[in-house]
């Protein structure tokens, strides 16, 4: 028993991330997902001899399928390792920009004699971060408060866990223990939050996963419909895997359609499900999407105009909300008001 515990501790020392239960659980889920993909593809190529002959004749078909498999798994790990856009990182980035501007202005105001002298200053990195956070608190507070409606108190927009001011659409994630910009949800399978910085990658991942599942299911059905004699147990295994694949495809397809709807209306999962609990959305009518800029512009900004994950959206004014809540007329439909 002692030897077993000692071996376990030694194993954890070689893999430090396994000592954390949360990270160990995420690692096991990632390993299970990769093994599930390899199992579906391995059984398909192991059982279907016609697919092997088709691969020899039409190499492009199987190559495209395997490339889609590799691209899906790569997109999964890229999304899993991406940052959702943390509020603290955004605050540091803005403070660093302010600090660099202040240094540039102070250097410009210095006399020529002081510019010629070279001085080397050693600063601890932790101390530098504290200085940045402390020196730019006023500018960050002003930036955040300008995004809210007049009369909003600073205490009501300050996170009680991180003790930093949250811009609109940000929320504290209890799993990551950080505030996330444009928080959507915390994905257990990915082991990270989905937010401003990686929502686009997440959508492309579930899109590629949906296409891969459809293609794999089609190959399984073609195997069952082929007239080549096969043992009964291969039928049982393929039917069982096809049933599991159909259930996974159903949920992935629903997830893809749901997030496509969120993109077209510029919403997040948290905003949609907790609309009545979010202060700045509580008095907004159900059919009004306050951050929507039209279907075309929402899609463009989500996919193409993502120059910075720290770009934040202010709350719409009362005039803008009144314009969005105005009923559609025939002229609005002809002018494609919902699109732009």
């Amino acid at each position: 028993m002692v030897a077993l515990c000692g071996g376990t501790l030694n194993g954890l020392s070689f893999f430090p991330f396994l000592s954390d239960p949360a990270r160990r659980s995420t690692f096991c889920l990632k390993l299970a997902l990769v093994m599930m993909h390899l199992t579906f593809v391995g059984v398909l190529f192991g059982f279907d001899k016609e697919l092997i002959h088709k691969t020899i004749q039409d190499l492009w078909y199987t190559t495209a399928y395997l490339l889609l498999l590799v691209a899906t798994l790569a997109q999964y790990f890229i999304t899993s390792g991406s940052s959702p856009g943390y509020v603290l990182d955004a605050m540091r980035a803005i403070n660093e920009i302010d600090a660099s501007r202040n240094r540039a202005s102070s250097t410009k105001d210095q006399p020529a004699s002081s510019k010629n002298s070279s001085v080397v200053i050693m600063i601890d990195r932790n101390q530098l971060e504290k200085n940045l956070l402390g020196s730019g608190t006023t500018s960050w507070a002003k930036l955040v408060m300008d995004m809210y409606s007049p009369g909003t108190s600073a205490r009501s927009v300050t996170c009680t866990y991180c003790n930093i001011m949250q811009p609109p659409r940000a929320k504290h994630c209890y799993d990551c223990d950080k505030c996330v910009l444009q928080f959507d949800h915390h994905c257990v399978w990915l082991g990270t939050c989905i937010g401003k910085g990686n929502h686009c990658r997440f959508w492309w991942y579930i899109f590629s996963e949906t296409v891969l599942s459809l293609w794999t299911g089609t190959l399984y059905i073609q195997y069952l419909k082929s007239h080549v004699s096969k043992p009964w147990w291969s039928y049982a295994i393929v039917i069982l895997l096809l049933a599991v694949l159909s259930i996974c495809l159903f949920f992935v397809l629903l997830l893809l359609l749901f997030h496509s709807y969120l993109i077209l209306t510029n919403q997040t999962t948290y905003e949609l499900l907790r609309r009545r609990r979010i202060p700045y959305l509580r008095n907004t009518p159900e059919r009004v999407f306050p951050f929507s800029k039209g279907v075309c512009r929402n899609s463009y900004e989500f996919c193409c105009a993502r120059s910075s994950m720290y770009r934040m959206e202010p709350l719409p004014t009362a005039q803008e909300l009144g314009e969005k809540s105005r009923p559609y007329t025939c002229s609005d439909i002809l002018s494609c008001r919902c699109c732009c």
Side-chain angles (χ1 to χ4, degrees):
M1 185 68 179
V2 175
L4 180 62
C5 293
T8 305
L9 291 175
N10 290 332
L12 292 178
S13 63
F14 284 106
F15 303 98
F17 62 91
L18 294 178
S19 60
D20 185 5
R23 298 179 68 180
R24 184 166 62 245
S25 175
T26 303
F27 173 78
C28 293
L29 286 174
K30 291 180 180 179
L31 183 63
L33 188 137
V34 173
M35 293 303 299
M36 185 170 63
H37 281 76
L38 296 180
T39 300
F40 278 110
V41 177
V43 169
L44 186 64
F45 280 90
F47 287 0
D48 195 352
K49 304 301 180 183
E50 289 187 357
L51 182 61
I52 298 176
H53 292 304
K54 190 174 182 179
T55 302
I56 298 174
Q57 296 175 357
D58 299 323
L59 185 61
W60 66 269
Y61 184 83
T62 307
T63 303
Y65 175 74
L66 294 178
L67 285 176
L68 178 61
L69 172 65
V70 173
T72 302
L73 292 177
Q75 187 68 28
Y76 169 76
F77 284 105
I78 290 173
T79 307
S80 176
S82 61
S83 171
Y86 297 112
V87 176
L88 187 60
D89 293 336
M91 189 169 75
R92 285 173 178 168
I94 291 174
N95 290 338
E96 287 178 0
I97 293 173
D98 291 340
S100 62
R101 287 175 180 173
N102 293 333
R103 285 196 298 267
S105 61
S106 61
T107 304
K108 187 182 296 184
D109 296 337
Q110 283 180 357
S113 59
S114 61
K115 289 182 182 179
N116 295 331
S117 60
S118 59
V119 181
V120 179
I121 303 175
M122 301 296 293
I123 303 177
D124 182 66
R125 181 171 179 82
N126 294 329
Q127 186 63 35
L128 178 61
E129 290 183 353
K130 290 179 181 179
N131 293 337
L132 288 173
L133 291 175
S135 62
T137 303
T138 304
S139 61
W140 173 258
K142 185 179 184 305
L143 177 67
V144 172
M145 294 307 296
D146 287 343
M147 296 182 182
Y148 289 94
S149 57
T152 304
S153 63
R155 180 177 296 182
S156 63
V157 298
T158 302
C159 177
T160 55
Y161 297 93
C162 301
N163 198 26
I164 57 176
M165 300 182 68
Q166 296 177 337
R169 313 190 75 181
K171 182 188 176 296
H172 184 86
C173 176
Y174 301 102
D175 296 285
C176 299
D177 197 23
K178 291 182 180 179
C179 291
V180 179
L181 292 169
Q182 203 165 319
F183 175 83
D184 189 88
H185 71 286
H186 182 89
C187 184
V188 179
W189 285 96
L190 291 171
T192 186
C193 277
I194 304 301
K196 180 73 175 178
N198 59 358
H199 198 176
C200 184
R201 291 192 182 97
F202 177 74
W203 188 90
W204 280 110
Y205 163 64
I206 57 178
F207 174 78
S208 60
E209 195 73 70
T210 302
V211 176
L212 179 64
S213 300
L214 283 171
W215 199 340
T216 306
T218 303
L219 294 177
Y220 268 74
I221 293 173
Q222 289 177 357
Y223 170 77
L224 293 174
K225 291 173 65 177
S226 61
H227 300 288
V228 180
S229 59
K230 299 176 281 292
W232 66 270
W233 52 266
S234 66
Y235 272 106
I237 294 175
V238 171
I239 291 174
L240 178 62
L241 290 178
L242 184 59
V244 175
L245 182 63
S246 301
I247 296 173
C248 296
L249 176 60
F250 174 75
F251 286 105
V252 172
L253 184 59
L254 283 182
L255 189 64
L256 178 65
L257 294 175
F258 175 70
H259 278 273
S260 299
Y261 166 74
L262 294 178
I263 293 166
L264 295 178
T265 56
N266 197 4
Q267 296 184 90
T268 63
T269 303
Y270 174 69
E271 290 173 345
L272 182 65
L273 299 180
R274 303 289 184 179
R275 191 180 182 101
R276 293 303 174 192
R277 297 180 58 180
I278 302 176
Y280 55 83
L281 294 177
R282 192 173 298 155
N283 298 323
T284 307
E286 289 290 340
R287 300 289 181 178
V288 176
F289 311 118
F291 299 101
S292 177
K293 303 177 184 65
V295 173
C296 297
R297 190 172 176 185
N298 290 338
S299 304
Y300 173 77
E301 290 189 354
F302 182 83
C303 299
C304 305
R306 302 182 63 85
S307 58
S308 174
M309 72 171 65
Y310 302 136
R311 187 169 56 88
M312 296 168 285
E313 299 179 75
L315 291 180
T317 61
Q319 183 179 359
E320 292 173 341
L321 286 176
E323 181 65 23
K324 294 177 186 294
S325 60
R326 182 171 57 86
Y328 281 89
T329 61
C330 295
S331 60
D332 291 332
I333 297 175
L334 293 175
S335 61
C336 297
R337 175 188 160 196
C338 63
C339 299
C340 55

